[in-house]
């Protein structure tokens, strides 16, 4: 059951749902015409279908392994990386001055989503490079840019992110890796980093690590952290990989899924590194990379959801079971409960993809116009896109397994791999709980203004839709009104625990309402058609979930700590 | 982090929540006094903690394997089985005439739940035997009973269920395994069966297969199916295992989890079998076994939920991260979102366990009194107990992984094993979708009478609770009222697709309302205490989910088939 890139879905959504015309209308992205966008998506889609999808099972069956300190990647992954690199896909949104295509993040997001649906464990490698490229572009010295960016963009070298340490996970400020000045402008980096995705490979000439570490005069906490680029091989005078740096892969983690992606424990023993950005300014630079990565991880979830949905649909259409009703295909796809699962999967994929692309559009508009309201919109949507994308990935993979019945639990089917692989996306790049706390904390430091502006847009579209689709419009309007009330309530809470207690249900409800909003846009563009049918399914059946979630979000921390730890254990 | 059997929770729930006094008040179960129940639960709990829990990782790390046609089980499983058998736990509810304890199914259910929390893959072995014992007890000839029951009850032999064939999964009536009379009262069984849990082992003297097959004059469909007992070794005149029967394990499935349980493809080549029950009466006999097994699988889900919860709680209490607030333990268990996860897990485990035990109490009352209303109650609660138990298992294992953060995705932690193992419980013994269709189909052939009687009880308790706990009582009453309306709407639908389309959300909502009902009972028994605190958490935060679910359940099939298969694929 091969992966099929959902190119036409993107084309429809860019035009009718998420307002990509705004992006194409800016000077900066003037070349992103409809034809150009279609060509890019089709070309990337072909790569995903023909090169990456056939590698999906390889990664699972033949995991990356560590041999004598060297990572050996899964069969075909080296060729896969080369095809990604040769197509220019690593640099799709990278600056043209350094060999990138300079295209909108919206296209990058679509391409990353497709690559994730085809082969998640391999897609994670270019995603890591993309984050590094963006961090270096915005924070590194010209010299570092000249040396690193062309090679990262071309895929000759690969990049990684090194944040986590055993005692410093969600609390990155607790890290203890040290950076000592060598006196020649470089630094000696020492410490251990864990959970380093693609910490090494056997297909690029160099692996460049962006490492968070503390300078001797760095204060405790996040304010004392600096960022360094630490290459596996020290570049010689010509910029080619030279002497090996003092760093190594200690071990690979034995994970539940994503076996094609080597998750490394990295040891730095006085490794030579170069400062990126200001001393003690590491968190700022890291946030550039993390925001990129969060959107990317949301896209991973949506991509896996698309892959798992296609996989389940193909199975359901082939599987005969029970007495077929008259006029039925005889397959289980015509059973009401199976059809419910398929429709739910499809409607949820659309919703999550819309949120993802709307976030990307906001980032592009922020980059193209510099307007603060677009920046606020992008900041607001990033945690929602990350969580809704990854939760949709997990739920659709779960439902897809259920569609398979007994076969779903058998590894050969491939349904289980989606389920195992995607699970990590709710954990890495900031757990989904951390994202939700970001939404009701940092992202509401404006008193809920950015959220209110978005809800205003939702209500405005709903008002306009009343004439054509009165029932759907009313449902979306009502849902957004409840969301508005809850948002105001949350923004008014001074004790942060009263916000945090309901952060996750609030974020989920926000996602549901946004899903209704974008489905309504699709219905308006396709009255009486398949888009309206799917929108009606979502808005009538799935959107009502927001009521229970928002009820939960408005309770605050009351009673949350009512049981002692001892009572919890009884 | 060792498993701790929740004995005190059972004691409280039996007394205050699910009305076990009714059971103990019958003549049949008069010996099930409080002291006796406590002794049984404590003894079983000790087995789970000391013998079974240490085997949990063994099953995953050293899966059962097939060597030259013989199944080799995971290290320690043979000793584990022996301890279970020697304790008499296989025959806890089996007839005393054949060596069983003759105790209520409620106790069996609690013991099975504990064993599942300790080591699911091993627990599945006695569960299969228990189902076979019950089927033989009710349907086999005296001769077969005399021969098989004592050995199955003592654990000298083990039992399996053989229903599924490649083309006959949920549609068991499509099976093609044949049974030809041998002329001597025995039958020659030929065919292939798949997904046979514990189809073989290396620790019992014999393995007895209950096999569904079709006699030469059997009509197509379920009405032409008969049940046979087909032993691995043919009993000799003394009843000891003799000549090998013509059957074999062809292969073991490569599953996502539950690796300690060998899932076999079985081949029968004219194997000798004995008819159980009437010719063509196989489905009736099988339903005895399946109802037992459905409740058992619900218990597997609750057991895993308990294990995963304890595991996550222990991790959360140990893991330090972030700046602790004043008076905090400094562990992540004091972070609001982590505490939300822990409270949700605990509240959901209580709700699912209540439903499970309430179903078991109804079965015991049915068995002890023969009253039709108890039979109807048991029949109604069985699919709800199966689905709510298994969904709670999956959700709590998922949340437990999330509590672990990055460590959750690493296999060594053990959190991932719960997540992988429990996933099959939503699939086997009738997928959860099939259960939901059973609830709105067969179980509503009474026009919704059994459901209405249960809802009446919920409302009656809520009315009584108004004086002491007005807010909680009102919330439960309102929820049950919406459930009542939806039940009436569903029971009134003539087109079954209008019921089936909302079957799964309806069942989930029913479970939520029942959870509220039992939590309210607990709160009434512990006013101002920890039970009330947990009930308040559940009723205020989790119960509201029913509104979205019931809205979905009342839409029917309208629009469900609005997209063609081609449109679904675009």
């Amino acid at each position: 059951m091969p992966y099929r890139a959902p190119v036409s879905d993107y084309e429809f959504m860019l035009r009718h749902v998420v307002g990509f015309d705004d992006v194409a209308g800016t000077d900066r992205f003037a070349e992103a015409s409809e034809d150009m966008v279609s060509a890019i998506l089709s070309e990337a889609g072909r790569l995903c279908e023909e090169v990456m999808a056939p590698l999906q099972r390889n990664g699972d069956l033949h995991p990356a392994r560590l041999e004598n300190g060297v990572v050996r990647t899964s069969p075909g992954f080296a060729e896969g990386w080369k095809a990604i690199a040769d197509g220019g896909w690593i640099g799709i949104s990278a600056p043209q001055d350094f060999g990138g295509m300079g295209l909108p993040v919206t296209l990058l997001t679509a391409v990353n989503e497709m690559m994730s649906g085809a082969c998640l464990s391999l897609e994670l490698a270019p995603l890591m490079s993309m984050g590094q490229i963006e961090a270096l572009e915005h924070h590194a010295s010209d010299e570092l840019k000249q040396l690193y960016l062309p090679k990262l963009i071309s895929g000759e070298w690969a990049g990684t992110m090194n944040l986590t340490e055993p005692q410093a996970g969600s609390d990155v400020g607790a890290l203890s890796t040290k950076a000592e000045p060598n006196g020649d402008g470089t630094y000696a980096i020492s410490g251990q980093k864990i959970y380093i995705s693609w910490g090494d490979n056997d297909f690029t000439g160099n692996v460049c690590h962006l490492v968070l570490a503390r300078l001797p005069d760095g204060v405790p906490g996040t304010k004392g952290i600096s960022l360094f680029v630490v290459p596996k091989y020290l570049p010689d005078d010509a910029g080619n990989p030279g002497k090996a740096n003092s760093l190594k892969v200690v071990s690979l983690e034995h994970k539940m899924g994503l076996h094609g992606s080597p998750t490394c424990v990295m040891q730095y023993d006085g490794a030579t590194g170069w400062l990126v950005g200001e001393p003690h300014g590491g968190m700022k630079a890291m946030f550039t990379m993390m925001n990129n990565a969060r959107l990317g991880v949301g896209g991973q979830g949506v991509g896996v959801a698309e892959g798992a949905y296609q996989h389940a649909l193909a199975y359901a259409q082939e599987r005969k079971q029970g007495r077929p009703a008259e006029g039925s295909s005889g397959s289980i796809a015509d059973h009401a409960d199976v059809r419910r699962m398929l429709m739910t999967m499809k409607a949820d994929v659309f919703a999550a993809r819309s949120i993802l692309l709307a976030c990307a559009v906001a980032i592009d508009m922020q980059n193209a116009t510099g307007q603060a309201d677009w920046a606020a919109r992008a900041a607001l949507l990033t945690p929602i896109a990350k969580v809704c994308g990854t939760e949709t990935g997990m739920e659709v993979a779960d439902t897809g397994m259920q569609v398979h019945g007994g076969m779903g639990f058998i590894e050969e089917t491939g349904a289980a791999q989606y389920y195992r692989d995607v699970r990590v996306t709710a954990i890495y790049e900031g757990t989904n709980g951390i994202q939700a706390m970001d939404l009701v904390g940092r992202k509401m430091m404006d008193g809920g203004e950015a959220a209110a502006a978005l809800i205003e847009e939702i209500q405005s579209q709903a008002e306009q839709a009343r004439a054509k689709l009165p029932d759907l419009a009313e449902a979306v309007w009502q849902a957004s009104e409840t969301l508005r009330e809850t948002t105001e309530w949350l923004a008014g809470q001074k004790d942060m625990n009263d916000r945090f207690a309901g952060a996750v249900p609030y974020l989920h409800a926000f996602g549901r309402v946004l899903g209704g909003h974008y489905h309504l846009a699709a219905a308006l563009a396709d009255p009486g058609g398949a888009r309206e049918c799917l929108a009606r399914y979502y808005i009538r059946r799935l959107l009502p979930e927001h009521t229970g979630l928002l009820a939960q979000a408005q309770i605050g921390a009351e009673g949350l700590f009512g049981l002692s730890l001892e009572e919890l254990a009884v």
Side-chain angles (χ1 to χ4, degrees), chain A:
Chain A
M1 302 174 215
Y3 175 79
R4 205 182 34 69
V7 170
S8 62
D9 214 39
Y10 290 122
E11 290 171 342
F12 174 87
M13 292 168 80
L14 293 180
R15 190 187 301 175
H16 299 294
V17 178
V18 297
F20 185 72
D21 284 354
D22 287 352
V23 176
T26 63
D27 288 346
R28 172 153 175 185
F29 298 120
E31 58 183 300
S33 66
E34 260 182 47
D35 285 352
M36 148 72 115
V37 166
S38 287
I40 289 282
L41 293 174
S42 298
E43 192 61 28
R46 198 153 35 238
L47 170 85
C48 294
E49 292 172 356
E50 296 173 6
V51 178
M52 293 186 70
L55 301 174
Q56 160 89 340
R57 294 288 292 151
N58 282 16
D60 200 50
L61 294 172
H62 310 287
R65 57 191 202 283
L66 189 64
E67 279 183 4
N68 303 321
V70 179
V71 167
R72 302 290 176 201
T73 59
S74 303
F77 274 38
E79 293 76 16
W81 170 273
K82 187 168 186 311
I84 296 166
D86 289 353
W89 303 113
I90 299 170
I92 183 170
S93 291
Q96 290 171 310
D97 294 350
F98 298 101
M101 294 198 225
L103 288 169
V105 166
T106 307
L107 291 185
L108 167 88
T109 300
V111 171
N112 279 343
E113 193 230 282
M114 288 192 280
M115 293 203 290
S116 304
C119 183
L120 184 66
S121 58
L122 177 54
E123 184 268 356
L124 187 54
L127 185 68
M128 293 294 99
S129 279
M130 290 173 191
Q132 180 159 136
I133 289 164
E134 198 171 357
L136 293 178
E137 178 193 348
H138 289 99
H139 302 284
S141 67
D142 286 343
E143 202 178 351
L144 287 177
K145 284 188 203 176
Q146 294 292 345
L147 175 57
Y148 285 91
L149 284 181
K151 292 193 164 67
L152 288 166
I153 288 169
S154 69
E156 195 179 338
W157 294 1
T160 78
M161 298 167 60
N162 287 235
L163 290 78
T164 306
E165 300 179 11
Q167 80 296 350
S170 300
D171 181 18
V172 70
L175 67 78
S176 66
T177 294
K178 289 185 170 58
E180 302 270 353
N182 287 327
D184 61 354
T186 68
Y187 296 82
I189 312 293
S190 299
Q192 193 175 78
K193 295 286 181 178
I194 61 171
Y195 302 148
I196 309 309
S197 295
W198 282 100
D200 194 18
N201 70 63
D202 53 5
F203 49 66
T204 62
N206 210 347
V207 180
C208 308
H209 304 286
L210 275 185
V211 182
L212 285 182
R214 206 179 303 276
L215 289 165
D217 59 343
V219 296
T222 54
K223 289 179 183 167
I225 295 175
S226 306
L227 184 66
F228 302 86
V229 59
V230 188
K232 178 179 174 185
Y233 298 109
L234 297 167
D236 63 19
D237 291 344
N240 295 317
K243 193 166 141 292
N245 207 344
S246 302
L247 61 92
K248 66 179 175 197
V249 179
V250 177
S251 61
L252 302 191
E253 299 292 357
H254 177 218
K255 308 189 298 295
M256 184 177 75
L258 215 65
H259 296 151
S261 159
T263 302
C264 303
V265 175
M266 304 291 305
Q267 181 71 37
Y268 297 88
D269 296 310
T272 303
W274 284 262
L275 185 67
V276 175
E278 299 298 311
H280 319 309
M283 284 310 288
K284 193 179 156 203
M286 213 65 197
F287 266 120
T288 303
M289 197 151 111
M290 278 169 62
N291 273 327
N292 172 310
R294 285 174 180 190
L295 183 64
V297 172
Q300 293 188 325
V302 179
V304 171
E306 175 70 39
Y309 167 68
Q310 291 184 18
H311 203 263
L313 176 61
Y315 179 82
Q317 288 186 257
E318 278 172 21
R319 175 75 174 164
K320 313 291 177 195
Q321 193 83 168
R323 281 157 300 186
E326 209 174 329
S328 143
S329 68
S331 78
I332 62 169
D334 284 329
H335 292 200
D337 187 56
V338 174
R339 190 61 75 101
R340 176 190 65 80
M341 291 194 273
L342 294 171
M343 288 288 283
T344 301
M345 293 161 94
K346 189 173 178 68
D348 275 342
V349 169
F350 176 91
R353 181 177 287 146
S354 301
I355 295 168
L356 190 76
L357 292 176
C359 181
V361 163
I363 291 169
D364 283 326
M365 293 306 292
Q366 171 189 2
N367 290 339
T369 69
Q371 287 169 10
D373 51 353
W374 281 116
R377 172 68 53 88
L380 178 76
L381 284 177
T382 296
I384 303 177
K386 197 272 185 181
V387 176
C388 291
T390 58
E391 297 283 338
T392 299
M394 295 193 297
E395 276 164 31
V396 170
D398 179 62
T399 309
M401 186 178 294
Q402 198 68 17
V403 168
H404 281 77
M407 292 296 287
F409 201 60
I410 309 296
E411 285 288 357
E412 283 76 3
T413 320
Q417 188 185 343
Y418 290 119
Y419 186 74
R420 287 185 290 101
D421 283 0
V422 76
R423 185 61 186 81
V424 72
T425 64
I427 296 171
Y428 63 21
E429 299 312 331
T431 66
N432 285 5
I434 296 276
Q435 304 296 326
M437 288 160 70
D438 177 54
L439 178 65
V440 301
R442 184 183 292 267
K443 301 301 163 62
M444 278 195 189
M445 280 167 60
D446 63 357
E449 202 180 310
L454 181 52
I455 293 168
E456 179 63 35
E457 275 183 36
I458 295 171
Q459 298 197 331
S460 165
Q461 177 185 264
E463 289 295 354
Q464 286 165 24
R466 281 190 193 281
K468 285 182 186 164
L469 299 165
D471 56 338
L472 303 189
E474 172 63 13
V476 172
W477 194 91
Q478 279 297 345
S480 64
E481 182 62 12
T482 313
L483 179 66
R484 195 183 58 71
E485 290 163 9
T486 308
T487 304
E488 286 174 7
W489 186 89
L490 281 169
Q493 299 311 306
K494 299 233 165 58
D495 183 338
M496 289 310 283
N497 272 353
D498 284 326
R499 299 191 191 185
F500 291 158
V504 165
Y506 172 73
L507 189 151
H508 285 157
F510 210 138
R512 273 277 173 248
V513 175
L514 283 169
H517 172 62
Y518 296 121
H519 266 295
L520 184 58
L524 287 168
D526 185 23
R531 299 280 177 183
E532 184 189 322
C533 179
L534 193 66
R536 193 167 289 278
Y537 185 92
Y538 183 94
I539 291 169
R540 292 188 71 199
R541 294 174 197 262
L542 307 181
L543 177 57
E545 188 193 17
H546 78 274
T547 55
L549 293 167
L550 290 177
Q552 195 180 161
Q554 283 210 42
I555 294 172
E558 189 191 330
L560 184 67
F561 294 92
L563 298 188
S564 67
L565 292 177
E566 291 70 29
E567 285 169 325
L568 275 171
V570 172

